[in-house]
PDB file of all heavy atoms in Angstrom:
ATOM      1  N   ALA A  10     195.643  57.987 108.861  1.00  0.00           N
ATOM      2  CA  ALA A  10     196.258  57.075 109.716  1.00  0.00           C
ATOM      3  C   ALA A  10     195.317  56.097 110.564  1.00  0.00           C
ATOM      4  O   ALA A  10     195.527  54.912 110.631  1.00  0.00           O
ATOM      5  CB  ALA A  10     197.045  57.756 110.850  1.00  0.00           C
ATOM      6  N   PHE A  11     194.192  56.643 110.903  1.00  0.00           N
ATOM      7  CA  PHE A  11     193.110  55.778 111.734  1.00  0.00           C
ATOM      8  C   PHE A  11     191.888  55.843 110.888  1.00  0.00           C
ATOM      9  O   PHE A  11     190.735  55.667 111.525  1.00  0.00           O
ATOM     10  CB  PHE A  11     192.992  56.296 113.139  1.00  0.00           C
ATOM     11  CG  PHE A  11     194.297  56.119 113.829  1.00  0.00           C
ATOM     12  CD1 PHE A  11     195.263  57.125 114.032  1.00  0.00           C
ATOM     13  CD2 PHE A  11     194.500  54.955 114.436  1.00  0.00           C
ATOM     14  CE1 PHE A  11     196.331  56.999 114.719  1.00  0.00           C
ATOM     15  CE2 PHE A  11     195.766  54.701 115.285  1.00  0.00           C
ATOM     16  CZ  PHE A  11     196.646  55.822 115.322  1.00  0.00           C
ATOM     17  N   TYR A  12     191.840  56.152 109.663  1.00  0.00           N
ATOM     18  CA  TYR A  12     190.638  56.316 108.831  1.00  0.00           C
ATOM     19  C   TYR A  12     189.749  55.110 108.975  1.00  0.00           C
ATOM     20  O   TYR A  12     190.178  53.846 108.761  1.00  0.00           O
ATOM     21  CB  TYR A  12     191.103  56.479 107.414  1.00  0.00           C
ATOM     22  CG  TYR A  12     190.037  56.623 106.331  1.00  0.00           C
ATOM     23  CD1 TYR A  12     189.325  57.822 106.244  1.00  0.00           C
ATOM     24  CD2 TYR A  12     189.559  55.570 105.578  1.00  0.00           C
ATOM     25  CE1 TYR A  12     188.369  58.048 105.399  1.00  0.00           C
ATOM     26  CE2 TYR A  12     188.572  55.779 104.576  1.00  0.00           C
ATOM     27  CZ  TYR A  12     187.882  57.024 104.380  1.00  0.00           C
ATOM     28  OH  TYR A  12     187.038  57.195 103.605  1.00  0.00           O
ATOM     29  N   ASN A  13     188.535  55.403 109.300  1.00  0.00           N
ATOM     30  CA  ASN A  13     187.458  54.379 109.340  1.00  0.00           C
ATOM     31  C   ASN A  13     187.733  53.241 110.364  1.00  0.00           C
ATOM     32  O   ASN A  13     187.184  52.094 110.235  1.00  0.00           O
ATOM     33  CB  ASN A  13     187.151  53.737 108.078  1.00  0.00           C
ATOM     34  CG  ASN A  13     186.134  54.549 107.167  1.00  0.00           C
ATOM     35  OD1 ASN A  13     185.613  55.582 107.634  1.00  0.00           O
ATOM     36  ND2 ASN A  13     186.167  54.296 105.859  1.00  0.00           N
ATOM     37  N   CYS A  14     188.499  53.470 111.438  1.00  0.00           N
ATOM     38  CA  CYS A  14     188.784  52.616 112.458  1.00  0.00           C
ATOM     39  C   CYS A  14     187.510  52.753 113.369  1.00  0.00           C
ATOM     40  O   CYS A  14     187.441  53.423 114.395  1.00  0.00           O
ATOM     41  CB  CYS A  14     189.949  52.854 113.367  1.00  0.00           C
ATOM     42  SG  CYS A  14     191.516  52.502 112.443  1.00  0.00           S
ATOM     43  N   ASP A  15     186.408  51.955 113.034  1.00  0.00           N
ATOM     44  CA  ASP A  15     185.174  52.136 113.705  1.00  0.00           C
ATOM     45  C   ASP A  15     184.952  51.522 115.053  1.00  0.00           C
ATOM     46  O   ASP A  15     183.921  51.645 115.692  1.00  0.00           O
ATOM     47  CB  ASP A  15     184.052  51.661 112.705  1.00  0.00           C
ATOM     48  CG  ASP A  15     184.102  50.185 112.346  1.00  0.00           C
ATOM     49  OD1 ASP A  15     185.007  49.455 112.798  1.00  0.00           O
ATOM     50  OD2 ASP A  15     183.327  49.785 111.537  1.00  0.00           O
ATOM     51  N   SER A  16     186.006  50.850 115.527  1.00  0.00           N
ATOM     52  CA  SER A  16     186.090  50.327 116.911  1.00  0.00           C
ATOM     53  C   SER A  16     186.857  51.173 117.846  1.00  0.00           C
ATOM     54  O   SER A  16     186.851  51.013 119.069  1.00  0.00           O
ATOM     55  CB  SER A  16     186.739  48.908 116.899  1.00  0.00           C
ATOM     56  OG  SER A  16     185.810  48.002 116.193  1.00  0.00           O
ATOM     57  N   LEU A  17     187.542  52.307 117.382  1.00  0.00           N
ATOM     58  CA  LEU A  17     188.346  53.154 118.153  1.00  0.00           C
ATOM     59  C   LEU A  17     187.417  54.021 119.023  1.00  0.00           C
ATOM     60  O   LEU A  17     186.549  54.702 118.454  1.00  0.00           O
ATOM     61  CB  LEU A  17     189.197  54.003 117.286  1.00  0.00           C
ATOM     62  CG  LEU A  17     190.207  54.923 117.946  1.00  0.00           C
ATOM     63  CD1 LEU A  17     191.340  54.085 118.697  1.00  0.00           C
ATOM     64  CD2 LEU A  17     190.793  55.771 116.755  1.00  0.00           C
ATOM     65  N   THR A  18     187.545  53.971 120.254  1.00  0.00           N
ATOM     66  CA  THR A  18     186.651  54.703 121.268  1.00  0.00           C
ATOM     67  C   THR A  18     187.219  55.972 121.866  1.00  0.00           C
ATOM     68  O   THR A  18     186.502  56.960 122.187  1.00  0.00           O
ATOM     69  CB  THR A  18     186.077  53.852 122.222  1.00  0.00           C
ATOM     70  OG1 THR A  18     187.114  53.329 123.007  1.00  0.00           O
ATOM     71  CG2 THR A  18     185.302  52.681 121.700  1.00  0.00           C
ATOM     72  N   SER A  19     188.608  55.914 121.982  1.00  0.00           N
ATOM     73  CA  SER A  19     189.078  57.053 122.783  1.00  0.00           C
ATOM     74  C   SER A  19     190.630  57.354 122.163  1.00  0.00           C
ATOM     75  O   SER A  19     191.308  56.220 121.822  1.00  0.00           O
ATOM     76  CB  SER A  19     189.297  56.694 124.295  1.00  0.00           C
ATOM     77  OG  SER A  19     190.100  57.622 124.970  1.00  0.00           O
ATOM     78  N   VAL A  20     191.101  58.579 122.120  1.00  0.00           N
ATOM     79  CA  VAL A  20     192.405  58.842 121.618  1.00  0.00           C
ATOM     80  C   VAL A  20     193.072  59.955 122.382  1.00  0.00           C
ATOM     81  O   VAL A  20     192.282  60.994 122.828  1.00  0.00           O
ATOM     82  CB  VAL A  20     192.305  59.473 120.171  1.00  0.00           C
ATOM     83  CG1 VAL A  20     193.721  60.002 119.687  1.00  0.00           C
ATOM     84  CG2 VAL A  20     191.802  58.363 119.198  1.00  0.00           C
ATOM     85  N   THR A  21     194.222  59.762 122.815  1.00  0.00           N
ATOM     86  CA  THR A  21     195.032  60.840 123.452  1.00  0.00           C
ATOM     87  C   THR A  21     196.200  61.110 122.539  1.00  0.00           C
ATOM     88  O   THR A  21     197.003  60.206 122.331  1.00  0.00           O
ATOM     89  CB  THR A  21     195.536  60.280 124.831  1.00  0.00           C
ATOM     90  OG1 THR A  21     194.508  60.080 125.592  1.00  0.00           O
ATOM     91  CG2 THR A  21     196.407  61.359 125.531  1.00  0.00           C
ATOM     92  N   ILE A  22     196.283  62.279 122.097  1.00  0.00           N
ATOM     93  CA  ILE A  22     197.366  62.629 121.187  1.00  0.00           C
ATOM     94  C   ILE A  22     198.405  63.501 122.073  1.00  0.00           C
ATOM     95  O   ILE A  22     198.033  64.431 122.725  1.00  0.00           O
ATOM     96  CB  ILE A  22     196.757  63.701 120.083  1.00  0.00           C
ATOM     97  CG1 ILE A  22     195.754  62.937 119.239  1.00  0.00           C
ATOM     98  CG2 ILE A  22     197.902  64.132 119.214  1.00  0.00           C
ATOM     99  CD1 ILE A  22     194.990  63.699 118.381  1.00  0.00           C
ATOM    100  N   GLY A  23     199.599  62.844 122.030  1.00  0.00           N
ATOM    101  CA  GLY A  23     200.788  63.313 122.874  1.00  0.00           C
ATOM    102  C   GLY A  23     201.014  64.818 122.482  1.00  0.00           C
ATOM    103  O   GLY A  23     200.946  65.223 121.463  1.00  0.00           O
ATOM    104  N   ASN A  24     201.845  65.408 123.577  1.00  0.00           N
ATOM    105  CA  ASN A  24     202.271  66.731 123.289  1.00  0.00           C
ATOM    106  C   ASN A  24     203.408  66.847 122.335  1.00  0.00           C
ATOM    107  O   ASN A  24     203.792  68.001 121.914  1.00  0.00           O
ATOM    108  CB  ASN A  24     202.811  67.300 124.674  1.00  0.00           C
ATOM    109  CG  ASN A  24     201.732  67.414 125.710  1.00  0.00           C
ATOM    110  OD1 ASN A  24     200.637  67.608 125.354  1.00  0.00           O
ATOM    111  ND2 ASN A  24     201.993  67.378 127.015  1.00  0.00           N
ATOM    112  N   GLY A  25     204.137  65.770 121.915  1.00  0.00           N
ATOM    113  CA  GLY A  25     205.047  65.921 120.912  1.00  0.00           C
ATOM    114  C   GLY A  25     204.493  66.045 119.469  1.00  0.00           C
ATOM    115  O   GLY A  25     205.224  66.345 118.534  1.00  0.00           O
TER     116      GLY A  25
END
Side-chain angles (χ1 to χ4, degrees):
F11 298 94
Y12 180 78
N13 279 346
C14 289
D15 57 6
S16 295
L17 186 64
T18 60
S19 177
V20 171
T21 300
I22 299 169
N24 292 333

